[in-house]
Amino acid sequence: SQTIHQWPATLVQPVGSPLSLECTVEGTSNPNLYWYRQAAGRGLQLLFYSVGIGQISSEVPQNLSASRPQDRQFILSSKKLLLSDSGFYLCAWTLSGTGSFSGNTIYFGEGSWLTVV
Amino acid sequence: KQEVTQIPAALSVPEGENLVLNCSFTDSAIYNLQWFRQDPGKGLTSLLLIQSSQREQTSGRLNASLDKSSGRSTLYIAASQPGDSATYLCAVRRNYGGSQGNLIFGKGTKLSVKP
């Protein structure tokens, strides 16, 4: 069966410090991978998605970046955190689909709470 | 621009009651709609996925319906239990290209089932 792991679960970082959140998927190959942010009262927002190694698409301009160094590894990073980067970050995956998108069920990790102080 | 709205934002019911959660979306050109459950401080768990060609999906005590033309979906929970307490989110997937069929989420309905 497939599983998704995300860490760290919680993180408190000072403004201006770097960030690295890691996500790995097991039990599947060539998944589509996603990073979402859930801010209080704002719902989930897609930050990045990836359809393959080294292929990253950004949905919104921001202070964050993403990388996919291996097929089932997705990393969310920042060189200098801002207060506004605080939130709940969720990694997710779907089976890769045909055409331009996948209509499959999306599976989420347990999330990472980031507090920037 | 697709917008997803969930009403009510919060709901409190006594145990055993049947209840309906509502989700509406502004653009009927969707590929599918999913309902999720989120426990406090946790990730999302997919409950039901309805393809745009389908009218409803059922899983145990849960039944989700989809009326694409009117831009509405409902999640029906039968015989609610305290363990059903969580935030329920709906999300629609666009059916046109670009960002891999980006999911657009509602803000959720926070359900509390009192014993």
Side-chain angles (χ1 to χ4, degrees):
Chain A
S1 63
Q2 301 88 2
T3 56
I4 179 169
H5 302 284
Q6 187 179 341
W7 70 93
T10 59
L11 198 59
V12 179
Q13 291 285 94
V15 169
S17 64
L19 171 73
S20 181
L21 300 179
E22 190 164 342
C23 171
T24 59
V25 179
E26 297 177 358
T28 188
S29 296
N30 194 33
N32 292 335
L33 296 171
Y34 309 82
W35 277 111
Y36 283 85
R37 176 167 59 199
Q38 188 175 33
R42 295 188 61 186
L44 273 88
Q45 180 184 40
L46 178 65
L47 302 176
F48 301 95
Y49 70 93
S50 171
V51 299
I53 295 174
Q55 300 180 60
I56 309 295
S57 296
S58 175
E59 281 296 290
V60 293
Q62 59 202 303
N63 184 42
L64 303 168
S65 63
S67 62
R68 185 170 177 174
Q70 300 180 43
D71 181 45
R72 290 167 290 176
Q73 184 184 27
F74 206 23
I75 297 172
L76 184 68
S77 304
S78 173
K79 292 181 178 178
K80 290 184 178 181
L81 284 168
L82 306 172
L83 286 173
S84 58
D85 291 325
S86 294
F88 189 46
Y89 290 83
L90 288 157
C91 181
W93 73 273
T94 62
L95 293 171
S96 57
T98 58
S100 62
F101 57 86
S102 164
N104 296 295
T105 298
I106 188 167
Y107 300 94
F108 284 85
E110 285 295 298
S112 298
W113 283 101
L114 171 65
T115 303
V116 182
V117 296
Chain B
K1 178 185 175 184
Q2 179 72 275
E3 293 182 0
V4 179
T5 304
Q6 290 186 247
I7 295 174
L11 182 64
S12 181
V13 300
E15 182 178 4
E17 191 164 298
N18 302 326
L19 58 99
V20 174
L21 306 180
N22 297 294
C23 173
S24 61
F25 45 96
T26 54
D27 186 348
S28 62
I30 65 169
Y31 190 74
N32 61 35
L33 181 146
Q34 280 187 253
W35 282 93
F36 297 87
R37 169 187 172 134
Q38 185 176 30
D39 292 294
K42 300 292 186 181
L44 279 70
T45 301
S46 179
L47 298 173
L48 291 163
L49 182 151
I50 311 176
Q51 301 292 351
S52 62
S53 59
Q54 297 175 323
R55 297 285 293 181
E56 66 177 348
Q57 283 286 330
T58 298
S59 176
R61 294 183 293 107
L62 305 179
N63 176 277
S65 68
L66 174 64
D67 184 342
K68 204 171 67 166
S69 61
S70 67
R72 293 179 183 176
S73 176
T74 61
L75 179 67
Y76 175 81
I77 303 177
S80 59
Q81 304 170 358
D84 295 329
S85 298
T87 296
Y88 291 81
L89 296 102
C90 74
V92 298
R93 186 179 294 279
R94 305 185 297 205
N95 70 350
Y96 49 90
S99 58
Q100 290 292 303
N102 184 13
L103 279 175
I104 309 297
F105 283 85
K107 294 182 180 179
T109 293
K110 186 175 182 180
L111 173 66
S112 176
V113 181
K114 304 294 186 184

